[in-house]
Amino acid sequence: MPQFFNKRLILLLVSIIVLVALIGFSLREREELSWPEQFLKDTAGWFQNAFHKPVSSVTGFFENLNDLQHTYDENKKLKSRLDEYVKLKTEVQDLKKENDDLRNILNKEKDDLSEASRIQATVIGRNPDRWNEMITINKGTLHGVELDMAVETSEGLIGKVKSSNKFTSSIQLLSSIDPKNRISAVIQGNEDAYGVIEGYDEKRQLLLLKRIPFDKKVKKNSNVITSGYGGVFPRRLVIGKVVDVKLDQYGLNQTAYVKPATDFYDISNVVILKRDIPAPEEGKSGTGQEGDGGQ
Amino acid sequence: MSRFILPVTALLFFIFESIFANLFSGVMFGSDRVYVPRLIMIFIAFLAIYGSKRLGILYGFILGLCYDVVYTEILGIYTFLFPVLAYLISKSMKVLQANLLIAIFVSVFFVGILEVVVYQLNVLINFAKIGYPEFANTRLLPTLLLNLAFIVILSFPLRRMVEKYETERDSA
């Protein structure tokens, strides 16, 4: 039956066209998801929330058992670090006070890029196919979560808010290979080196910090933090440590391989950071990403 | 009661996928291998094998759309793939005979196909940069193993459920 076959072929072709159109539509920079999407995500979020609690309490129990086994060793290690910590804390307090005093003397207003307000949230879901690495959290626009805010765990930066609905939001992790995922960062050292986090090496599980000027000497093991110059993220969020440095293709820039401070696999509680100093208008009118202003 | 059993199971599978990905993404298996739960695909495969083609395609479309909106935020990939695969499964079952072992084999095979096509599409839109050998090693094989385990556990109750639904619908 050739006619019958043709009908199916046409249906297939039409659906392929629709597929391409839909993918194109959703890859475009969208300020906001359409309301049916938001509604669906919130509804799914409600169910995820409801199921998450009992399931996580069961797995939490087993994790606790696991933790108990390592407690002795960890305790030993932590004790040795404790003295160090106290010393560090007093030093930081002293420096903070000195900084404030000096600012007062200079009559400088409060314009610290690292100032941010915090929203605590629980992770209730994760994209199961794990290509575009995303997690779902149980706070949304009602709680003050907005597009492009920085998200961190106690260990360091993990990503940014990709979309926010009324009661839930999606967070895109740093490990997702989205070409639009860019963060302005600093490598701390005697002389700060600025660059942009662009991409993720899936094989070695390292972040790529690109566009560092070629004449900067970057030491291995130096810390990498956000610079706050991208306009959206606050300054001083921990990203990770430099593992390896390479000259790029044309020798004009260097690329540093950064080992993330956080583990992108085991995330249960996150903090969303809203920068107190608003981004300049220019940065906002752009494509809604952490720009590459860090050079 | 039996009217709601399929939607409720679909919902449970749908939610469980993300909870599984969230809770077991690194703790149990070590972080360099990616185990993707494909419960929805298994569900659709069994609907197409033991239910009807229409049922498989319908659920494939609805679940695919929900999957795209809620999880991936890239519309189209699963909305397209689930119904097409459901169609192909019911076509291939016309040739094969529907015993449980073959059903298990067919569902694992189509989970693999889904995984490969999704990988190719993600390479196309620049969301994946790993090469084929690495993909096979870190994603395809672990995913197939995990889903084989799921299928073996779920095959019997799933078959019974779908068959019961079908006979009740036919008699009604």
Side-chain angles (χ1 to χ4, degrees):
Chain A
M1 284 180 282
Q3 257 186 334
F4 205 54
F5 180 71
N6 272 347
K7 211 168 111 191
R8 276 190 199 160
L9 197 68
I10 286 169
L11 189 68
L12 184 72
L13 286 178
V14 167
S15 46
I16 286 178
I17 291 169
V18 171
L19 163 81
V20 172
L22 271 177
I23 291 179
F25 169 73
S26 42
L27 282 182
R28 211 185 47 180
E29 280 292 341
R30 285 194 289 174
E31 281 283 304
E32 192 170 53
L33 297 176
S34 59
W35 71 262
E37 283 174 272
Q38 292 206 9
F39 175 73
L40 202 57
K41 291 194 86 151
D42 272 342
T43 317
W46 189 86
F47 281 109
Q48 281 174 324
N49 220 348
F51 283 100
H52 175 78
K53 270 170 200 154
V55 174
S56 67
S57 63
V58 172
T59 52
F61 175 72
F62 286 108
E63 252 172 67
N64 285 345
L65 283 185
N66 201 15
D67 283 348
L68 271 178
Q69 290 184 323
H70 305 295
T71 313
Y72 180 74
D73 285 338
E74 269 172 15
N75 210 3
K76 237 187 198 168
K77 251 187 228 163
L78 286 176
K79 260 185 190 153
S80 63
R81 297 286 287 277
L82 209 59
D83 301 332
E84 232 175 281
Y85 173 72
V86 171
K87 203 177 141 206
L88 209 69
K89 199 179 165 194
T90 49
E91 229 173 68
V92 167
Q93 247 170 14
D94 208 36
L95 284 173
K96 244 189 191 160
K97 194 161 177 299
E98 198 181 318
N99 194 337
D100 280 346
D101 286 347
L102 289 172
R103 269 173 188 273
N104 275 338
I105 292 170
L106 284 170
N107 261 336
K108 204 160 177 288
E109 55 179 322
K110 285 260 181 204
D111 58 355
D112 192 353
L113 282 177
S114 64
E115 295 284 320
S117 42
R118 287 149 185 277
I119 305 160
Q120 203 275 329
T122 309
V123 179
I124 54 171
R126 188 182 181 120
N127 177 5
D129 87 346
R130 311 260 310 268
W131 285 112
N132 188 10
E133 289 266 48
M134 285 202 300
I135 54 178
T136 315
I137 56 166
N138 67 347
K139 294 280 161 75
T141 42
L142 275 187
H143 310 94
V145 179
E146 283 165 33
L147 205 67
D148 285 327
M149 284 182 177
V151 183
E152 67 165 1
T153 63
S154 53
E155 288 151 346
L157 186 71
I158 58 162
K160 65 165 189 186
V161 177
K162 180 144 188 266
S163 64
S164 60
N165 317 309
K166 279 271 178 304
F167 304 101
T168 57
S169 314
S170 306
I171 289 157
Q172 189 172 41
L173 300 184
L174 287 180
S175 57
S176 94
I177 306 179
D178 186 347
K180 288 171 300 218
N181 217 354
R182 287 189 293 185
I183 295 149
S184 164
V186 192
I187 302 171
Q188 290 182 314
N190 290 334
E191 196 185 10
D192 285 353
Y194 289 88
V196 185
I197 296 268
E198 266 185 28
Y200 182 73
D201 187 333
E202 235 175 311
K203 209 183 231 166
R204 299 171 64 191
Q205 309 202 332
L206 300 172
L207 292 163
L208 305 180
L209 180 54
K210 291 185 179 168
R211 304 200 215 172
I212 309 162
F214 70 95
D215 53 347
K216 294 276 184 210
K217 286 223 168 62
V218 178
K219 273 193 199 138
K220 278 181 194 174
N221 259 337
S222 32
N223 288 316
V224 180
I225 59 171
T226 56
S227 71
Y229 295 156
V232 185
F233 286 10
R235 198 182 162 92
R236 224 168 289 142
L237 301 177
V238 181
I239 297 176
K241 273 196 162 80
V242 177
V243 180
D244 194 9
V245 188
K246 268 188 195 147
L247 269 185
D248 78 352
Q249 207 178 350
Y250 304 108
L252 298 172
N253 286 315
Q254 299 179 85
T255 299
Y257 289 81
V258 180
K259 186 173 168 34
T262 47
D263 169 8
F264 292 121
Y265 298 97
D266 196 8
I267 307 162
S268 50
N269 287 296
V270 295
V271 175
I272 299 135
L273 297 154
K274 187 193 165 103
R275 200 163 90 157
D276 286 347
I277 298 172
E281 273 309 301
E282 193 189 36
K284 268 204 165 152
S285 67
T287 47
Q289 70 200 21
E290 261 274 309
D292 52 345
Q295 295 199 40
Chain B
M1 171 60 205
S2 61
R3 280 186 72 163
F4 297 109
I5 188 130
L6 286 187
V8 168
T9 318
L11 179 74
L12 278 180
F13 279 10
F14 186 74
I15 300 295
F16 184 76
E17 274 201 7
S18 94
I19 287 179
F20 182 91
N22 188 23
L23 292 176
F24 301 108
S25 50
V27 200
M28 277 174 77
F29 310 112
S31 50
D32 54 337
R33 296 245 189 294
V34 177
Y35 295 80
V36 185
R38 291 288 185 203
L39 289 172
I40 299 173
M41 189 60 223
I42 298 168
F43 180 69
I44 291 166
F46 271 78
L47 278 187
I49 294 171
Y50 290 110
S52 62
K53 189 167 79 184
R54 215 192 98 247
L55 206 62
I57 292 177
L58 181 73
Y59 271 87
F61 181 75
I62 295 171
L63 285 171
L65 192 63
C66 290
Y67 199 97
D68 276 336
V69 170
V70 175
Y71 293 141
T72 61
E73 289 198 6
I74 300 165
L75 304 179
I77 295 182
Y78 288 95
T79 320
F80 175 74
L81 278 181
F82 281 155
V84 169
L85 289 180
Y87 176 79
L88 290 179
I89 289 171
S90 71
K91 274 278 153 193
S92 62
M93 283 327 276
K94 290 226 166 91
V95 188
L96 303 164
Q97 45 171 277
N99 76 40
L100 199 58
L101 209 65
I102 288 184
I104 288 174
F105 175 76
V106 167
S107 7
V108 173
F109 180 73
F110 274 90
V111 166
I113 297 222
L114 175 74
E115 204 58 32
V116 171
V117 177
V118 168
Y119 161 70
Q120 287 297 349
L121 282 172
N122 271 296
V123 168
L124 213 67
I125 60 173
N126 270 331
F127 270 97
K129 284 197 178 122
I130 55 176
Y132 197 82
E134 211 193 328
F135 158 74
N137 206 6
T138 59
R139 277 177 178 270
L140 189 60
L141 284 179
T143 301
L144 284 180
L145 279 179
L146 176 75
N147 285 293
L148 178 65
F150 277 145
I151 292 169
V152 169
I153 297 168
L154 291 173
S155 59
F156 200 65
L158 262 180
R159 182 178 75 162
R160 264 193 64 177
M161 192 183 75
V162 178
E163 276 178 348
K164 211 175 157 191
Y165 176 84
E166 276 295 294
T167 47
E168 266 176 41
R169 212 179 55 114
D170 286 344
S171 59

